[in-house]
Amino acid sequence: MDHITQVLLQLFSILVAAKMGNEIFRRLGQPTVVGEILGGVIAGPALLGVYAVNAETELFAEIGVVLLLFQVGLETRLHDLLRVGRTALAVGILGVLLPFAGGFAAAELAGGDLSLAIFLAAALTATSVGITSNVLRDLGALNTQSGRIILGAAVIDDVLAIMILSVATGVAAGSFAITNVLSLLLVAVLFIAVVVIGGTRILRRRRSILTDPEFAETPLLPGMIVMLGLAALASLIGLAAIIGAFLAGMVVGESSERHALEAEVAPVAAFFTPFFFGFIGAQVDLAALANVESLMLLLGITALAVASKFVGAFVGALGQGRRRAALIGWGMVPRGEVGIVVAGLGLSTGAIQSEIYSVVVGMAILTTLVVPPLLPMLVRRAEGHRDPIVEEDGPSPGIEDDDDGVQG
Amino acid sequence: MDHITQVLLQLFSILVAAKMGNEIFRRLGQPTVVGEILGGVIAGPALLGVYAVNAETELFAEIGVVLLLFQVGLETRLHDLLRVGRTALAVGILGVLLPFAGGFAAAELAGGDLSLAIFLAAALTATSVGITSNVLRDLGALNTQSGRIILGAAVIDDVLAIMILSVATGVAAGSFAITNVLSLLLVAVLFIAVVVIGGTRILRRRRSILTDPEFAETPLLPGMIVMLGLAALASLIGLAAIIGAFLAGMVVGESSERHALEAEVAPVAAFFTPFFFGFIGAQVDLAALANVESLMLLLGITALAVASKFVGAFVGALGQGRRRAALIGWGMVPRGEVGIVVAGLGLSTGAIQSEIYSVVVGMAILTTLVVPPLLPMLVRRAEGHRDPIVEEDGPSPGIEDDDDGVQG
């Protein structure tokens, strides 16, 4: 079997597995995203082994979550985000500090060396906003106060995470320097500020810019170019690609073609996102966890990860009332692919061993699986009796009238 | 720079390059697909070197042409194709025989050994229908008599091509057996018959099958599952993946959700196809062709490829009148990615050397570049003064009313 045939079969099988998981969980009234991840566990190396973790399937997963955050950005307006800026900052900072301190203390108490402690702590810090924002989107709660705080906090969270990661790799390589960390911070903040302020200014001045080129019969391809460009750039300076995609969506959302673009991005994202959820599931390594010691370690670290992130974010958001703070704290819990990436980096630098790696990956997936089931209830309690279909100022992501208003 | 960052940058740069080529050619009134391929030449290893030929970019290109042929299948009805079956058979067979004979004779005259002659002949035979069907689609000429004959002939062409390729690899490996070739033929014909007859029967009996699952809020994902599955299966038995995708589109096109599906597939295909065109361009190796001898060889082989395919297909289609025969003959000329794949196989088995490989790849790309500019004129002459927008029974691929008729 040649290589491209193999990859086509893998993409086919993960799509079938994720959608079968979706189907079953939908019928059971459970969150479909959990069904899609479990579909990936079953089709992946852990059980059936039809779906492999390789460069191509990772790329499809990455583009899936990039598109997801681009969509979220399209539905988010900058001024709404700035309005919740102080709370988001508090949630982001406390939601990073507590897991870091918890992870560091736990590793030191267990007698690990400094670089293991720092890597474990780093893997516990960074939130993956893909899962939560997907569920909030399905619930129509992205444009609530809590939804905006979660998105803002996720951006701040990621800036802090790259600083911690730079400390961790510096310590592991024995070349730690505070100036490196500060210059990273400067570059990250500059990138975000320039993209957001410069981008929205350009778009506001020329709102038809996406369909101005002759090739742009619709705004889709200019939108995809901005998305890929900013995702690559964010990734290049050490931020997560999804942060670049989120900023791209927010900037491009200022365009007059925003609704047409949302309608066109919807099927592209619908095609790609199952590969993201399935890929997360495919990274489970059941064999490595098949002993009591590893399982206890997994449960302990997961409990620490959930509790420390929840408490940190909850305290940061308390000014919004306990119900909103609970939703925000819970929404920040998933570590998802970010935790897996950090663990992988720790493995490659030799700071953590393969047993701990499997445990950290398991933690990242478990924190992602526990969140969706409780979110609908927390959204109802925090944001009142609003109809989940009607949003404040975002259109539903369907195909809309003004879609015919595209120009050549 | 980590790997995923690199790939994101490559995807970004090829999208920009292809669309800049598109923009320039559109303003010059030239075929945009040629502009996109040349964009790939410029961004690719031949010139700027920002875009690399690797597993990930090849996958995006492959999914691009798979989606293209799926779209073409959606717009093609089986009974229309069967109505032109005899002409398509004649075009397919003669359009393979002449290039094969020409390639074989030329290699033998030049003193090449048997396996070189067979591989060169094989690389000259197979038509890549992606380029032509894309241009015909833009011209609204897919559902003309000529368009259907080209599509039918492309399927037959591909069946013959895998037989020839099996002969070629058998001879190169010194293990040629006629029974192998015949069993390949049997499997290929069976696959096509079962998919087409069985598939359309299932769909006609239950036209809502695509949106029957709970997860299928729209027909997109069930459609993508059928497409990837049949593309993988076709590829598994040795046919081109795009033939499986074309059959999948034709079968799924019997669904009651066909128009909704077409509207949803359009943006997904629009996102992916530039990667296909750009990837073709990126395979040009200018350095290998930078001497008079190679250039003369390239021009000679290209002239042979164009003339033999054109004359073979033209003679096969003569019953349709000279004007249609000219359109059909010209439409079968592009070798595109199929010629490149065959040449790569010849290179890996040692049957052809790297210098000849570069020449064959150059031929495949040149045959692809020369076709689009003449097609609009040939379509006008062959299919009369029909308005290119109005199609006989296919809807234009825009977003349509009944798109709201999707069900959960």
Side-chain angles (χ1 to χ4, degrees):
Chain A
M1 197 188 320
D2 67 349
H3 184 67
I4 201 94
T5 312
Q6 253 170 349
V7 176
L8 285 173
L9 269 177
Q10 285 166 1
L11 295 179
F12 167 73
S13 60
I14 195 67
L15 208 51
V16 171
K19 286 300 156 185
M20 276 175 61
N22 182 313
E23 183 79 5
I24 293 168
F25 271 63
R26 199 175 286 253
R27 286 176 189 234
L28 295 174
Q30 297 299 314
T32 55
V33 50
V34 175
E36 301 205 0
I37 294 174
L38 292 179
V41 175
I42 293 170
L47 290 171
L48 296 181
V50 254
Y51 184 65
V53 172
N54 56 35
E56 289 96 335
T57 55
E58 188 191 349
L59 176 63
F60 264 61
E62 179 75 11
I63 302 281
V65 66
V66 158
L67 277 161
L68 196 58
L69 268 289
F70 181 68
Q71 267 186 313
V72 169
L74 278 177
E75 295 173 24
T76 306
R77 294 285 57 79
L78 177 60
H79 56 90
D80 292 330
L81 218 57
L82 292 179
R83 219 183 290 148
V84 298
R86 276 176 53 181
T87 311
L89 195 67
V91 170
I93 291 177
L94 286 172
V96 160
L97 282 186
L98 256 73
F100 186 84
F104 193 87
E108 287 288 310
L109 284 178
D113 67 359
L114 183 66
S115 48
L116 169 67
I118 293 187
F119 257 103
L120 190 66
L124 255 59
T125 52
T127 290
S128 159
V129 77
I131 303 288
T132 299
S133 60
N134 184 59
V135 177
L136 291 183
R137 219 170 150 261
D138 286 352
L139 297 170
L142 216 47
N143 275 305
T144 60
Q145 183 86 348
S146 312
R148 288 168 187 155
I149 292 172
I150 291 175
L151 286 173
V155 174
I156 291 153
D157 186 295
D158 198 54
V159 172
L160 297 177
I162 65 160
M163 291 170 63
I164 291 175
L165 204 59
S166 120
V167 174
T169 47
V171 169
S175 66
F176 168 73
I178 189 75
T179 48
N180 290 350
V181 180
L182 289 179
S183 72
L184 258 180
L185 173 67
L186 189 72
V187 171
V189 171
L190 259 180
F191 170 75
I192 294 173
V194 168
V195 166
V196 165
I197 298 170
T200 50
R201 196 162 288 183
I202 293 172
L203 262 292
R204 279 186 194 147
R205 200 166 295 170
R206 196 162 151 194
R207 295 172 70 90
S208 67
I209 197 167
L210 289 186
T211 47
D212 283 348
E214 297 272 325
F215 78 80
E217 282 156 21
T218 74
L220 179 69
L221 283 165
M224 294 289 98
I225 287 175
V226 175
M227 179 192 81
L228 285 175
L230 289 182
L233 206 55
S235 182
L236 199 61
I237 65 174
L239 283 167
I242 59 173
I243 297 297
F246 172 69
L247 300 180
M250 211 159 56
V251 167
V252 163
E254 298 290 333
S255 147
S256 54
E257 306 295 330
R258 171 182 157 199
H259 293 175
L261 184 55
E262 279 181 339
E264 283 198 295
V265 169
V268 186
F271 172 61
F272 270 107
T273 42
F275 298 107
F276 168 60
F277 299 130
F279 189 80
I280 290 183
Q283 304 201 54
V284 167
D285 184 357
L286 290 182
L289 300 173
N291 61 70
V292 180
E293 204 171 286
S294 297
L295 269 181
M296 296 304 294
L297 194 58
L298 171 61
L299 290 182
I301 289 187
T302 304
L304 177 65
V306 171
S308 60
K309 180 65 94 174
F310 177 79
V311 171
F314 179 85
V315 171
L318 256 184
Q320 303 287 320
R322 297 169 72 96
R323 295 184 166 191
R324 275 199 180 136
L327 169 57
I328 292 165
W330 195 246
M332 296 293 289
V333 162
R335 302 307 196 284
E337 80 288 358
V338 183
I340 295 174
V341 167
V342 174
L345 215 59
L347 186 68
S348 70
T349 61
I352 66 176
Q353 284 74 48
S354 74
E355 193 214 342
I356 303 285
Y357 171 76
S358 302
V359 168
V360 173
V361 171
M363 173 282 292
I365 294 165
L366 278 183
T367 55
T368 301
L369 288 175
V370 295
V371 163
L374 289 184
L375 278 181
M377 186 266 285
L378 291 172
V379 166
R380 262 196 315 278
R381 278 171 40 114
E383 301 294 340
H385 301 288
R386 45 197 307 285
D387 184 343
I389 305 300
V390 183
E391 291 178 29
E392 280 154 31
D393 61 1
S396 69
I399 287 167
E400 311 232 323
D401 295 342
D402 56 354
D403 206 64
D404 298 319
V406 296
Q407 55 221 31
Chain B
M1 200 188 318
D2 67 349
H3 185 66
I4 202 92
T5 310
Q6 251 171 351
V7 176
L8 284 173
L9 269 178
Q10 285 165 1
L11 296 179
F12 166 73
S13 61
I14 195 68
L15 209 51
V16 171
K19 287 300 156 185
M20 276 176 61
N22 183 313
E23 183 78 7
I24 293 167
F25 272 62
R26 199 176 286 254
R27 286 176 191 236
L28 296 174
Q30 296 299 312
T32 54
V33 50
V34 175
E36 300 205 0
I37 295 174
L38 292 180
V41 175
I42 293 169
L47 289 170
L48 296 182
V50 252
Y51 184 64
V53 172
N54 57 34
E56 290 95 337
T57 55
E58 188 190 351
L59 176 63
F60 263 60
E62 180 74 11
I63 301 281
V65 66
V66 158
L67 276 161
L68 196 59
L69 267 289
F70 182 69
Q71 266 187 315
V72 169
L74 279 177
E75 294 172 26
T76 307
R77 295 284 57 81
L78 176 60
H79 56 90
D80 291 330
L81 217 56
L82 291 178
R83 218 184 290 151
V84 298
R86 277 175 56 182
T87 310
L89 194 66
V91 170
I93 292 176
L94 286 172
V96 161
L97 282 186
L98 257 74
F100 186 85
F104 193 86
E108 286 290 310
L109 285 178
D113 68 359
L114 184 64
S115 49
L116 169 68
I118 293 187
F119 257 102
L120 189 66
L124 256 59
T125 53
T127 290
S128 160
V129 77
I131 302 289
T132 299
S133 59
N134 184 59
V135 177
L136 291 182
R137 219 170 150 262
D138 285 351
L139 297 170
L142 216 47
N143 276 304
T144 59
Q145 183 86 349
S146 311
R148 288 167 186 155
I149 292 172
I150 290 174
L151 286 174
V155 174
I156 291 153
D157 185 293
D158 197 54
V159 173
L160 297 176
I162 65 160
M163 292 172 61
I164 291 175
L165 204 57
S166 121
V167 174
T169 47
V171 168
S175 66
F176 169 72
I178 189 76
T179 48
N180 289 351
V181 180
L182 289 179
S183 71
L184 256 181
L185 173 67
L186 190 72
V187 170
V189 170
L190 260 179
F191 170 76
I192 293 172
V194 167
V195 166
V196 165
I197 298 170
T200 51
R201 197 162 289 181
I202 292 172
L203 261 291
R204 278 184 196 151
R205 201 165 296 168
R206 195 161 153 194
R207 296 172 70 90
S208 66
I209 197 168
L210 289 186
T211 46
D212 283 349
E214 296 271 326
F215 78 78
E217 282 157 22
T218 74
L220 178 68
L221 282 164
M224 293 291 97
I225 286 174
V226 175
M227 179 192 82
L228 284 176
L230 289 181
L233 205 57
S235 182
L236 199 60
I237 66 175
L239 284 166
I242 59 172
I243 298 295
F246 172 68
L247 299 180
M250 212 158 56
V251 168
V252 163
E254 298 289 334
S255 148
S256 54
E257 305 295 330
R258 172 182 157 198
H259 293 176
L261 184 55
E262 281 182 337
E264 283 198 296
V265 170
V268 186
F271 172 62
F272 270 107
T273 42
F275 297 107
F276 168 60
F277 299 130
F279 189 80
I280 291 183
Q283 304 200 54
V284 167
D285 184 358
L286 288 182
L289 300 172
N291 61 69
V292 180
E293 205 171 284
S294 298
L295 268 180
M296 296 304 294
L297 194 59
L298 171 62
L299 290 181
I301 289 188
T302 304
L304 177 65
V306 171
S308 60
K309 180 63 94 173
F310 178 80
V311 171
F314 179 85
V315 171
L318 254 184
Q320 303 286 322
R322 299 170 70 97
R323 292 183 170 191
R324 275 199 180 135
L327 169 58
I328 292 165
W330 196 246
M332 298 293 289
V333 162
R335 301 307 194 286
E337 80 288 359
V338 184
I340 295 173
V341 167
V342 174
L345 215 60
L347 186 68
S348 69
T349 62
I352 65 176
Q353 284 73 47
S354 74
E355 192 214 343
I356 303 284
Y357 171 76
S358 301
V359 168
V360 174
V361 170
M363 172 282 293
I365 293 165
L366 277 183
T367 56
T368 302
L369 288 175
V370 295
V371 165
L374 289 184
L375 279 181
M377 186 268 284
L378 292 171
V379 166
R380 261 198 313 280
R381 277 170 39 115
E383 301 294 341
H385 302 288
R386 46 195 306 286
D387 183 341
I389 304 299
V390 182
E391 291 179 29
E392 279 152 33
D393 61 0
S396 71
I399 288 169
E400 310 233 322
D401 294 343
D402 55 355
D403 205 66
D404 298 321
V406 294
Q407 56 220 33

